[in-house]
Amino acid sequence: MTPKEELEALREKVSFHLYRYHVLDAPLITDAEYDELYRRLQSMEAKHPELITPDSPTQRAGSQPLDVFEKVTHAAPILSLANAFNVEDLFSWRTRIGRLLPDAEMPLDYVAEPKLDGLTVVLTYRNGVFVQGGTRGNGEVGEDVTQNLRTVRSLPQRIPVDPTSDLVPPAYLVVRGEAFFPLDKFETFNQSRMETGASPYMNPRNAAAGSLRQLDSAITAARPLTLYCYDFIAWEGGDIPEKQWQRLSYLRQLGFPVSPDNIYCPDLDAAASAYDSWMEKRNKINYEVDGVVIKINDRPLADSLGFVGKDPRGAVAMKFPAQERTSKLLGVQVSVGRTGILAPAAILEAVEIGGVVVRNATLHNYDEIARKDIRIGDTVIVKRAGDVIPYVIGPVVELRDGSEQPVEMPTKCPACGEPAVRIEGEVAIYCDNINCPEQLVRGIEYFVSRAAMDIDNFGSQTAALLVEQNMLKDISGIYSLNRDQLLTLEGFKEKKVDNLLKGIEASKAQPADRLLTALGIRFVGTVVATTLLRALGSIDALAEAAQEILEAIDGIGPQTAMSVKSWFNHAGNQELLANLKQAGLQFAAVAEDRAGTTPFAGLTFVITGTLATMSRQEAKEYIEARGGKVVGSVSGNTDYLVAGEKAGSKLSKAQALGVKIVDESGLTELAEG
Ligand code: IVH
């Protein structure tokens, strides 16, 4: 291809995906993939400026408004933002604007705002009354969605919202905000859509856009749309503050919803750490964020820097690494869980997401596969967010070519070959064979894990090997493993065997709540196990307790009570318990025992960076199991910061506040007193 042809093809591709995203609210590729295409187009155009055409997507903003809505002409262009992808990009942005400043080194302060992944709305107020609301459209002309916006409960119909306020806003005021779909509502919303046969929205942004662009505002009203405001587009008959930070508080005073997570940054280093802290936080908040917008606080100065195309120079969007990518679903593998659940896992064409190559992802369960109509051969969207296992969001139905095949439900257990069963009223499919070797391996893995009996030197491979070699027939067999027999295993030298046996021996002293957790009874995790034992005193008493007694315990519901009861009624489980008792494990959780297990009672922890051996989730469980509390951000109330490698801004904040800092081994030392 000649550069001209290549550019032509790229232009077409970018325009097409822009249209899918902005006009149809139904993208076929992820935002990150779009960004990549767009950047390719930009850099090719930079190399061949003579080949830039006026219809190139780089030469215009946004998309054409749909004809079905009245058009609104914006009071001023609704601009976009240039992207930066890392801290280096941020610093080179600063260098670039330095060349336009009277003094390149002049100190600047900034505001860091979460870049909400919703859609821009432009709100016009006359004499304090909301009179018009539009979408961004192509930046100059948008769609009139006033009626729909009126149904958004957080949007002020009249300002100032507080009738006792003596603020008098400009007689004419245009505010910019971002409408979005709260994450906690998104999943359930999509589910109920699918139940009625409608196709699910691919992400919360599309759900927000789809909700706002309804022809019947009653539909919009029924959706949990909300918004945050962050700027003034135009005003007459009054003044607004010159600093962005003051603009945000002015918006708040008038009664507009403003993100509580904006950060004032006295310098660019502070802006860079705002980016770090947001990257950690992004999966913990109730709205989708795809980056952080860094804005020069002095707005007249920022505005004086002008634009590059449709992007003002005075602000930059620092995008987060992608968490979503498209890939091809090559097949579905069935794995057997500890409780016998047959869980489908996606086998994917390798795809890099956030620096990690992903080849497998969870598909949750077969009901979900059916509901989302995921087929083998589909292009699927895969998400990998924080500590969460990568999962398949759904197929891109439009990209099917007809060769896709339905996913077959397993009819038998892949490990033991026994028939798979479906329990009435449950979504999962089970292997019902209590002697299934794979279930046993999973059960042992869980029993020895850190959250349960915490047996050192006992990993998944050891569990699988011992079951395969018939050295373990049930969990209690762990306590009668024979040293000579272990020494016959490949790779098991004296030292390794002794360490393993030492760990097993030490676990006999674990308190009864850990043992109860380790049994892996459905719905009985660390918290429920502790509750049950606090109320009843011992595992023996629990085994005897009637269901009504269990249900009467604070924090125990009928489902849990029933699950506990049926577990203890099972003859095989009774035998297992007898064997564990025989082995000398702790069955009674007397108060004196318990006191020693909560060394962190009353203490608040924050975890940051990469720890030596624990994941952050494991560290959280470790602390909580010992009575401590784990929170997301460092404050004066934090007792300890647990810091691993690459700890970012939380570390500096903790240092500044004089919060005690420990690493992983410091944490375990603390726990052991
Ligand atoms: S400022 C000239 N601030 O991100 C100012 N934009 O890529 C330009 N966005 O189209 C926008 N949160 O839809 C700004 N706190 C925020 C934002 C934000 C989300 C969106 C907005 C814009 C896009 C820019």
Side-chain angles (χ1 to χ4, degrees), residues 79-126:
L79 300 166
S80 183
L81 283 175
N83 287 336
F85 292 89
N86 47 50
V87 174
E88 287 79 69
D89 289 354
L90 178 69
F91 282 90
S92 42
W93 167 71
R94 176 64 185 84
T95 310
R96 277 198 311 276
I97 56 174
R99 295 191 199 113
L100 302 168
L101 294 170
D103 164 14
E105 303 287 304
M106 90 187 258
L108 292 177
D109 58 347
Y110 308 86
V111 174
E113 301 173 12
K115 187 171 178 316
L116 302 151
D117 198 9
L119 76 160
T120 291
V121 290
V122 181
L123 314 170
T124 305
Y125 290 79
R126 287 191 191 275

Short mmCIF file of all heavy atoms in Angstrom, two decimals, residues 79-126:
data_model
loop_
_atom_site.label_atom_id
_atom_site.label_comp_id
_atom_site.label_asym_id
_atom_site.label_seq_id
_atom_site.Cartn_x
_atom_site.Cartn_y
_atom_site.Cartn_z
N LEU A 79 -14.95 21.65 23.65
CA LEU A 79 -13.66 21.12 23.21
C LEU A 79 -13.39 19.75 23.77
O LEU A 79 -14.07 19.26 24.66
CB LEU A 79 -12.56 22.09 23.63
CG LEU A 79 -12.72 23.49 23.04
CD1 LEU A 79 -11.81 24.46 23.76
CD2 LEU A 79 -12.44 23.47 21.54
N SER A 80 -12.35 19.18 23.23
CA SER A 80 -11.91 17.86 23.66
C SER A 80 -10.57 18.01 24.37
O SER A 80 -10.18 19.12 24.73
CB SER A 80 -11.79 16.99 22.43
OG SER A 80 -11.44 15.71 22.81
N LEU A 81 -9.84 16.96 24.54
CA LEU A 81 -8.56 17.02 25.26
C LEU A 81 -7.52 16.16 24.57
O LEU A 81 -7.84 15.08 24.06
CB LEU A 81 -8.72 16.49 26.68
CG LEU A 81 -9.38 17.36 27.72
CD1 LEU A 81 -9.55 16.57 29.01
CD2 LEU A 81 -8.53 18.59 27.98
N ALA A 82 -6.28 16.62 24.59
CA ALA A 82 -5.19 15.78 24.10
C ALA A 82 -4.89 14.72 25.15
O ALA A 82 -5.05 14.96 26.35
CB ALA A 82 -3.95 16.63 23.85
N ASN A 83 -4.46 13.56 24.69
CA ASN A 83 -4.17 12.47 25.62
C ASN A 83 -2.69 12.39 25.97
O ASN A 83 -1.83 12.66 25.14
CB ASN A 83 -4.57 11.13 24.98
CG ASN A 83 -6.07 10.96 24.94
OD1 ASN A 83 -6.79 11.57 25.73
ND2 ASN A 83 -6.55 10.14 24.02
N ALA A 84 -2.43 11.98 27.20
CA ALA A 84 -1.09 11.58 27.60
C ALA A 84 -1.26 10.18 28.17
O ALA A 84 -2.33 9.85 28.68
CB ALA A 84 -0.55 12.53 28.66
N PHE A 85 -0.23 9.36 28.05
CA PHE A 85 -0.41 7.98 28.48
C PHE A 85 0.47 7.59 29.66
O PHE A 85 0.37 6.50 30.18
CB PHE A 85 -0.23 7.02 27.30
CG PHE A 85 -1.33 7.18 26.30
CD1 PHE A 85 -1.22 8.08 25.27
CD2 PHE A 85 -2.50 6.46 26.43
CE1 PHE A 85 -2.25 8.27 24.36
CE2 PHE A 85 -3.55 6.64 25.54
CZ PHE A 85 -3.42 7.54 24.49
N ASN A 86 1.35 8.50 30.06
CA ASN A 86 2.20 8.21 31.22
C ASN A 86 2.78 9.52 31.74
O ASN A 86 2.54 10.58 31.18
CB ASN A 86 3.32 7.23 30.82
CG ASN A 86 3.99 7.68 29.54
OD1 ASN A 86 4.38 8.83 29.41
ND2 ASN A 86 4.10 6.77 28.58
N VAL A 87 3.55 9.39 32.81
CA VAL A 87 4.06 10.59 33.46
C VAL A 87 5.04 11.35 32.56
O VAL A 87 5.08 12.58 32.57
CB VAL A 87 4.68 10.22 34.83
CG1 VAL A 87 5.36 11.41 35.47
CG2 VAL A 87 3.60 9.69 35.77
N GLU A 88 5.79 10.62 31.74
CA GLU A 88 6.73 11.30 30.81
C GLU A 88 5.95 12.22 29.87
O GLU A 88 6.34 13.36 29.61
CB GLU A 88 7.53 10.31 29.95
CG GLU A 88 8.61 9.55 30.69
CD GLU A 88 8.02 8.39 31.49
OE1 GLU A 88 7.55 7.43 30.86
OE2 GLU A 88 8.02 8.45 32.74
N ASP A 89 4.82 11.70 29.34
CA ASP A 89 3.98 12.52 28.45
C ASP A 89 3.52 13.79 29.16
O ASP A 89 3.43 14.85 28.57
CB ASP A 89 2.73 11.74 28.01
CG ASP A 89 3.05 10.61 27.03
OD1 ASP A 89 4.21 10.51 26.61
OD2 ASP A 89 2.12 9.85 26.70
N LEU A 90 3.23 13.63 30.46
CA LEU A 90 2.75 14.77 31.24
C LEU A 90 3.85 15.83 31.32
O LEU A 90 3.61 17.02 31.12
CB LEU A 90 2.36 14.31 32.64
CG LEU A 90 1.88 15.40 33.60
CD1 LEU A 90 0.53 15.96 33.16
CD2 LEU A 90 1.78 14.88 35.03
N PHE A 91 5.08 15.37 31.59
CA PHE A 91 6.18 16.32 31.70
C PHE A 91 6.53 16.95 30.34
O PHE A 91 6.89 18.12 30.29
CB PHE A 91 7.40 15.68 32.38
CG PHE A 91 7.22 15.60 33.88
CD1 PHE A 91 6.64 14.49 34.48
CD2 PHE A 91 7.58 16.67 34.70
CE1 PHE A 91 6.43 14.42 35.85
CE2 PHE A 91 7.38 16.62 36.08
CZ PHE A 91 6.81 15.50 36.66
N SER A 92 6.37 16.18 29.26
CA SER A 92 6.67 16.83 27.98
C SER A 92 5.57 17.81 27.59
O SER A 92 5.85 18.82 26.92
CB SER A 92 7.00 15.83 26.87
OG SER A 92 6.16 14.75 26.89
N TRP A 93 4.35 17.55 28.04
CA TRP A 93 3.28 18.56 27.86
C TRP A 93 3.68 19.87 28.56
O TRP A 93 3.60 20.96 27.97
CB TRP A 93 1.97 18.02 28.44
CG TRP A 93 0.88 19.04 28.61
CD1 TRP A 93 0.15 19.65 27.63
CD2 TRP A 93 0.40 19.58 29.87
NE1 TRP A 93 -0.76 20.52 28.18
CE2 TRP A 93 -0.63 20.50 29.55
CE3 TRP A 93 0.72 19.36 31.21
CZ2 TRP A 93 -1.34 21.20 30.53
CZ3 TRP A 93 0.02 20.05 32.18
CH2 TRP A 93 -0.99 20.97 31.84
N ARG A 94 4.21 19.75 29.78
CA ARG A 94 4.62 20.93 30.53
C ARG A 94 5.75 21.68 29.80
O ARG A 94 5.76 22.91 29.75
CB ARG A 94 5.06 20.51 31.94
CG ARG A 94 5.61 21.64 32.82
CD ARG A 94 4.55 22.69 33.11
NE ARG A 94 5.08 23.83 33.85
CZ ARG A 94 5.70 24.87 33.31
NH1 ARG A 94 5.88 24.91 32.00
NH2 ARG A 94 6.13 25.86 34.06
N THR A 95 6.68 20.90 29.24
CA THR A 95 7.78 21.53 28.51
C THR A 95 7.25 22.28 27.29
O THR A 95 7.66 23.39 27.00
CB THR A 95 8.79 20.46 28.05
OG1 THR A 95 9.10 19.63 29.19
CG2 THR A 95 10.06 21.07 27.50
N ARG A 96 6.31 21.63 26.57
CA ARG A 96 5.75 22.26 25.37
C ARG A 96 5.06 23.57 25.70
O ARG A 96 5.28 24.58 25.04
CB ARG A 96 4.74 21.31 24.71
CG ARG A 96 5.37 20.26 23.81
CD ARG A 96 4.35 19.66 22.84
NE ARG A 96 3.10 19.24 23.49
CZ ARG A 96 2.94 18.07 24.09
NH1 ARG A 96 3.92 17.19 24.12
NH2 ARG A 96 1.78 17.75 24.63
N ILE A 97 4.22 23.56 26.76
CA ILE A 97 3.52 24.81 27.05
C ILE A 97 4.48 25.84 27.62
O ILE A 97 4.27 27.04 27.47
CB ILE A 97 2.29 24.62 27.97
CG1 ILE A 97 2.68 23.95 29.27
CG2 ILE A 97 1.19 23.84 27.27
CD1 ILE A 97 1.53 23.87 30.26
N GLY A 98 5.56 25.36 28.21
CA GLY A 98 6.58 26.29 28.73
C GLY A 98 7.09 27.22 27.64
O GLY A 98 7.36 28.40 27.88
N ARG A 99 7.19 26.68 26.42
CA ARG A 99 7.70 27.49 25.31
C ARG A 99 6.76 28.63 24.96
O ARG A 99 7.15 29.60 24.32
CB ARG A 99 7.89 26.62 24.07
CG ARG A 99 8.97 25.58 24.29
CD ARG A 99 9.35 24.88 22.99
NE ARG A 99 10.01 23.63 23.34
CZ ARG A 99 9.52 22.42 23.09
NH1 ARG A 99 8.39 22.29 22.43
NH2 ARG A 99 10.18 21.36 23.46
N LEU A 100 5.49 28.51 25.37
CA LEU A 100 4.51 29.55 25.04
C LEU A 100 4.32 30.53 26.19
O LEU A 100 3.62 31.52 26.06
CB LEU A 100 3.16 28.91 24.69
CG LEU A 100 3.20 27.93 23.52
CD1 LEU A 100 1.91 27.14 23.46
CD2 LEU A 100 3.43 28.68 22.22
N LEU A 101 4.92 30.22 27.34
CA LEU A 101 4.76 31.09 28.50
C LEU A 101 5.84 32.17 28.49
O LEU A 101 6.91 31.95 27.92
CB LEU A 101 4.89 30.27 29.80
CG LEU A 101 3.80 29.22 30.06
CD1 LEU A 101 4.17 28.34 31.23
CD2 LEU A 101 2.46 29.90 30.31
N PRO A 102 5.55 33.31 29.10
CA PRO A 102 6.58 34.36 29.16
C PRO A 102 7.86 33.84 29.81
O PRO A 102 8.97 34.21 29.42
CB PRO A 102 5.93 35.45 30.04
CG PRO A 102 4.60 34.95 30.47
CD PRO A 102 4.29 33.70 29.74
N ASP A 103 7.70 32.96 30.80
CA ASP A 103 8.87 32.36 31.43
C ASP A 103 8.61 30.86 31.51
O ASP A 103 7.68 30.41 32.19
CB ASP A 103 9.04 32.97 32.84
CG ASP A 103 9.97 32.14 33.71
OD1 ASP A 103 10.68 31.26 33.16
OD2 ASP A 103 9.97 32.36 34.94
N ALA A 104 9.43 30.09 30.78
CA ALA A 104 9.19 28.65 30.66
C ALA A 104 9.15 27.96 32.02
O ALA A 104 8.47 26.96 32.21
CB ALA A 104 10.25 28.01 29.78
N GLU A 105 9.90 28.51 32.96
CA GLU A 105 10.03 27.85 34.27
C GLU A 105 9.00 28.36 35.27
O GLU A 105 9.05 27.99 36.45
CB GLU A 105 11.42 28.11 34.85
CG GLU A 105 12.58 27.67 33.95
CD GLU A 105 12.72 26.16 33.93
OE1 GLU A 105 12.88 25.59 35.02
OE2 GLU A 105 12.65 25.57 32.84
N MET A 106 8.13 29.24 34.83
CA MET A 106 7.24 29.86 35.82
C MET A 106 6.43 28.80 36.57
O MET A 106 5.96 27.84 35.98
CB MET A 106 6.32 30.89 35.15
CG MET A 106 4.99 30.39 34.64
SD MET A 106 4.14 31.68 33.72
CE MET A 106 2.95 32.21 34.92
N PRO A 107 6.32 28.96 37.91
CA PRO A 107 5.62 27.94 38.67
C PRO A 107 4.12 27.93 38.33
O PRO A 107 3.51 28.99 38.19
CB PRO A 107 5.85 28.36 40.13
CG PRO A 107 6.32 29.77 40.09
CD PRO A 107 6.86 30.05 38.73
N LEU A 108 3.58 26.74 38.15
CA LEU A 108 2.15 26.62 37.85
C LEU A 108 1.53 25.65 38.85
O LEU A 108 2.19 24.71 39.30
CB LEU A 108 1.95 26.05 36.45
CG LEU A 108 2.36 26.91 35.25
CD1 LEU A 108 2.15 26.12 33.96
CD2 LEU A 108 1.57 28.21 35.23
N ASP A 109 0.29 25.90 39.20
CA ASP A 109 -0.43 24.89 39.98
C ASP A 109 -1.56 24.32 39.11
O ASP A 109 -1.89 24.88 38.07
CB ASP A 109 -0.93 25.44 41.32
CG ASP A 109 -1.85 26.64 41.17
OD1 ASP A 109 -1.89 27.21 40.05
OD2 ASP A 109 -2.51 27.01 42.14
N TYR A 110 -2.08 23.18 39.53
CA TYR A 110 -2.99 22.42 38.68
C TYR A 110 -4.16 21.87 39.49
O TYR A 110 -4.13 21.85 40.72
CB TYR A 110 -2.26 21.22 38.05
CG TYR A 110 -0.98 21.61 37.35
CD1 TYR A 110 0.22 21.72 38.06
CD2 TYR A 110 -0.98 21.88 35.98
CE1 TYR A 110 1.39 22.10 37.42
CE2 TYR A 110 0.19 22.25 35.34
CZ TYR A 110 1.37 22.36 36.06
OH TYR A 110 2.52 22.74 35.42
N VAL A 111 -5.14 21.40 38.75
CA VAL A 111 -6.22 20.64 39.37
C VAL A 111 -6.28 19.29 38.66
O VAL A 111 -6.22 19.25 37.42
CB VAL A 111 -7.57 21.37 39.25
CG1 VAL A 111 -8.70 20.50 39.78
CG2 VAL A 111 -7.53 22.70 40.00
N ALA A 112 -6.33 18.22 39.42
CA ALA A 112 -6.47 16.88 38.83
C ALA A 112 -7.91 16.42 39.06
O ALA A 112 -8.38 16.39 40.20
CB ALA A 112 -5.50 15.90 39.49
N GLU A 113 -8.59 16.12 37.97
CA GLU A 113 -9.97 15.67 38.08
C GLU A 113 -10.09 14.28 37.47
O GLU A 113 -9.45 14.00 36.46
CB GLU A 113 -10.90 16.63 37.31
CG GLU A 113 -10.84 18.05 37.81
CD GLU A 113 -11.64 19.01 36.93
OE1 GLU A 113 -12.42 18.55 36.07
OE2 GLU A 113 -11.47 20.23 37.10
N PRO A 114 -10.91 13.43 38.06
CA PRO A 114 -11.13 12.14 37.43
C PRO A 114 -11.72 12.36 36.04
O PRO A 114 -12.59 13.21 35.87
CB PRO A 114 -12.12 11.43 38.34
CG PRO A 114 -12.74 12.52 39.18
CD PRO A 114 -11.72 13.60 39.28
N LYS A 115 -11.24 11.63 35.06
CA LYS A 115 -11.81 11.71 33.72
C LYS A 115 -12.95 10.71 33.64
O LYS A 115 -12.73 9.51 33.46
CB LYS A 115 -10.75 11.43 32.66
CG LYS A 115 -11.24 11.67 31.24
CD LYS A 115 -10.08 11.58 30.28
CE LYS A 115 -10.51 11.76 28.84
NZ LYS A 115 -11.70 11.05 28.44
N LEU A 116 -14.13 11.22 33.83
CA LEU A 116 -15.31 10.36 33.89
C LEU A 116 -15.60 9.80 32.51
O LEU A 116 -15.61 10.54 31.53
CB LEU A 116 -16.51 11.19 34.35
CG LEU A 116 -16.31 11.86 35.71
CD1 LEU A 116 -17.11 13.14 35.81
CD2 LEU A 116 -16.71 10.88 36.79
N ASP A 117 -15.86 8.52 32.46
CA ASP A 117 -16.13 7.89 31.18
C ASP A 117 -17.64 7.86 30.94
O ASP A 117 -18.27 6.81 30.98
CB ASP A 117 -15.53 6.48 31.15
CG ASP A 117 -15.39 5.97 29.73
OD1 ASP A 117 -15.61 6.76 28.79
OD2 ASP A 117 -15.09 4.78 29.57
N GLY A 118 -18.18 9.02 30.70
CA GLY A 118 -19.62 9.09 30.44
C GLY A 118 -19.81 9.87 29.16
O GLY A 118 -19.08 9.65 28.20
N LEU A 119 -20.78 10.78 29.13
CA LEU A 119 -20.85 11.64 27.97
C LEU A 119 -21.15 13.07 28.39
O LEU A 119 -21.85 13.31 29.37
CB LEU A 119 -21.82 11.13 26.91
CG LEU A 119 -23.30 11.30 27.13
CD1 LEU A 119 -24.02 11.18 25.81
CD2 LEU A 119 -23.76 10.22 28.06
N THR A 120 -20.55 13.99 27.63
CA THR A 120 -20.64 15.39 27.97
C THR A 120 -22.06 15.90 27.82
O THR A 120 -22.74 15.59 26.85
CB THR A 120 -19.72 16.19 27.04
OG1 THR A 120 -18.38 15.88 27.38
CG2 THR A 120 -19.93 17.69 27.18
N VAL A 121 -22.49 16.70 28.81
CA VAL A 121 -23.75 17.41 28.67
C VAL A 121 -23.49 18.90 28.88
O VAL A 121 -22.61 19.29 29.64
CB VAL A 121 -24.83 16.91 29.67
CG1 VAL A 121 -25.30 15.52 29.28
CG2 VAL A 121 -24.32 16.92 31.10
N VAL A 122 -24.25 19.71 28.17
CA VAL A 122 -24.08 21.16 28.22
C VAL A 122 -25.40 21.73 28.73
O VAL A 122 -26.45 21.55 28.10
CB VAL A 122 -23.75 21.70 26.82
CG1 VAL A 122 -23.54 23.20 26.85
CG2 VAL A 122 -22.51 21.00 26.27
N LEU A 123 -25.35 22.39 29.89
CA LEU A 123 -26.57 22.79 30.59
C LEU A 123 -26.68 24.31 30.62
O LEU A 123 -25.77 24.99 31.08
CB LEU A 123 -26.52 22.27 32.04
CG LEU A 123 -26.07 20.81 32.20
CD1 LEU A 123 -25.84 20.50 33.68
CD2 LEU A 123 -27.12 19.86 31.61
N THR A 124 -27.80 24.83 30.12
CA THR A 124 -27.98 26.28 30.07
C THR A 124 -29.00 26.72 31.11
O THR A 124 -30.06 26.11 31.25
CB THR A 124 -28.46 26.70 28.66
OG1 THR A 124 -27.52 26.19 27.72
CG2 THR A 124 -28.55 28.21 28.54
N TYR A 125 -28.64 27.78 31.85
CA TYR A 125 -29.51 28.36 32.88
C TYR A 125 -29.76 29.82 32.56
O TYR A 125 -28.82 30.55 32.24
CB TYR A 125 -28.87 28.24 34.27
CG TYR A 125 -28.82 26.81 34.77
CD1 TYR A 125 -27.85 25.93 34.29
CD2 TYR A 125 -29.77 26.34 35.67
CE1 TYR A 125 -27.83 24.61 34.71
CE2 TYR A 125 -29.76 25.02 36.11
CZ TYR A 125 -28.79 24.16 35.63
OH TYR A 125 -28.77 22.86 36.03
N ARG A 126 -31.04 30.21 32.62
CA ARG A 126 -31.36 31.64 32.50
C ARG A 126 -32.03 32.08 33.78
O ARG A 126 -32.99 31.45 34.22
CB ARG A 126 -32.26 31.90 31.30
CG ARG A 126 -31.50 31.77 29.99
CD ARG A 126 -32.31 32.29 28.81
NE ARG A 126 -31.64 31.90 27.57
CZ ARG A 126 -30.65 32.59 27.00
NH1 ARG A 126 -30.22 33.72 27.56
NH2 ARG A 126 -30.09 32.16 25.88
#
